[in-house]
Amino acid sequence: MQADPHQLSLSLSRRRLLQLSALGGMGLLGACGRGSTVQLVYGRGEFPSAWAKRLPDPWRAQPLEGPEAVLSARGAALMQLGDGWLGSAEAMDWQSFVPPGTPAASELWEGLAPEAQLLTRLFRPEPAPPLAYPWAFGTWMLVLRNRRDLVSRSAEGWMLLMDPSLRGQLVLPASPRLVIDLALRQLGLPPGDPASLRDPRLGDQLVGLRAQAAALDDRDGLNLLLSGTVEAAVLPSQRVLPLLRSDTRLTALLPASGSALWWNLLLRPARTREVPPLRWLLQAREAPLLNRLLAAGWVPPLRRELLAAALARWPSAVASLLYPEPAVLARCTSLPPLQPEQRDWLQSLWDRSGS
């Protein structure tokens, strides 16, 4: 049967499936011979169970309590981490995600959106090899509970956070870097430009933004919002999007100025000899699993046209939050690990804004 050219990277031919099955078996013979399981470790709640349950034998997915525990799991063959934790482990701790020369490995990288390319190399310049597999991404968005008055002013973008009615009714991210990113966007300054951090207006803007917040706690921010403790929160899209169809009290806004992007990655520790199960990884790009991942807010970072059919199943307003429109996505930025001098400057800026 002739494949739809728009779905070419998402639909594997029977021959390719057989090749990948054979490759997966070759990569796992050693583990089977040792009579042991091969572990993928992930932070609890940071990996979709529908996908984890499809892992082929002898692989097993093991949830752990947070990224610190993931980084400490010495026997793991694959690790799940968010991009915010990349600075907690040196690049030398990771090896090429797929061993050089592995047959059919190109299948894994075909179709990735341009925004994902830097993440595969952990922000290192070419020709660095792919060290990470970015399997999900999204934005940070403003979520409002029963505030139609503010929704009607959505064109104000992130400046809505400064509305007097939200003072003490707002939860901001726990990460100082993300709050600084919000302040930069409120001022219309490009977050990716180092000169923006030296703008004399930034300090005052950050002071005002922090004064609005009841808490800096994106982990429990959704619970605070749902319980009515606060009326607004800035949250990662994955936690919010699954609720929009069922909870009519909530409205999610992604301002036209964009946001920082969050990334979810799989990495291969330097000490493992196991080859990632390629066929299993590629299943996340195909129905029906792809539809389940999108419903849970996990969006594969593929080129837009490769997700068009799956996104068409959603209302257009929700689809544009799952995968932002090109003009908005162009204004979204990834946050690379900080250099020591950058970290010191941001820490100083943050400390001054809270005094």
Side-chain angles (χ1 to χ4, degrees), residues 327-350:
V328 177
L329 187 57
R331 300 185 188 104
C332 295
T333 52
S334 299
L335 301 178
L338 292 170
Q339 298 299 317
E341 62 276 10
Q342 295 173 317
R343 186 180 299 109
D344 292 344
W345 172 257
L346 288 180
Q347 186 64 58
S348 174
L349 178 64
W350 182 255

Side-chain angles (χ1 to χ4, degrees), residues 217-241:
D217 187 359
D218 51 274
R219 181 171 294 276
D220 292 322
L222 184 59
N223 290 332
L224 294 172
L225 189 65
L226 294 175
S227 68
T229 305
V230 298
E231 296 178 350
V234 178
L235 298 168
S237 55
Q238 189 275 325
R239 296 183 194 168
V240 177
L241 293 172

Side-chain angles (χ1 to χ4, degrees), residues 229-311:
T229 305
V230 298
E231 296 178 350
V234 178
L235 298 168
S237 55
Q238 189 275 325
R239 296 183 194 168
V240 177
L241 293 172
L243 297 177
L244 293 184
R245 281 182 164 179
S246 59
D247 195 330
T248 58
R249 301 172 300 170
L250 301 181
T251 302
L253 302 176
L254 175 59
S257 60
S259 78
L261 293 173
W262 60 262
W263 293 90
N264 211 315
L265 312 171
L266 289 174
L267 299 112
R268 186 169 173 249
R271 56 189 171 272
T272 187
R273 293 182 297 164
E274 306 298 337
V275 178
L278 299 184
R279 184 163 64 94
W280 171 79
L281 290 168
L282 290 166
Q283 285 176 354
R285 304 183 181 189
E286 302 175 320
L289 180 57
L290 173 60
N291 296 329
R292 296 186 66 179
L293 295 185
L294 292 177
W298 301 114
V299 182
L302 302 175
R303 295 197 309 272
R304 182 179 304 274
E305 64 269 20
L306 300 180
L307 290 175
L311 292 172

Side-chain angles (χ1 to χ4, degrees), residues 2-16:
Q2 182 66 36
D4 183 340
H6 292 294
Q7 300 296 322
L8 192 56
S9 293
L10 301 181
S11 300
L12 299 175
S13 68
R14 178 177 177 83
R15 176 179 298 178
R16 178 56 69 195

Side-chain angles (χ1 to χ4, degrees), residues 186-234:
Q186 288 178 328
L187 291 170
L189 297 173
D193 185 352
S196 297
L197 297 176
R198 306 284 178 171
D199 191 290
R201 298 172 294 167
L202 180 57
D204 290 340
Q205 189 68 28
L206 191 55
V207 169
L209 180 57
R210 292 184 65 178
Q212 289 285 91
L216 304 177
D217 187 359
D218 51 274
R219 181 171 294 276
D220 292 322
L222 184 59
N223 290 332
L224 294 172
L225 189 65
L226 294 175
S227 68
T229 305
V230 298
E231 296 178 350
V234 178

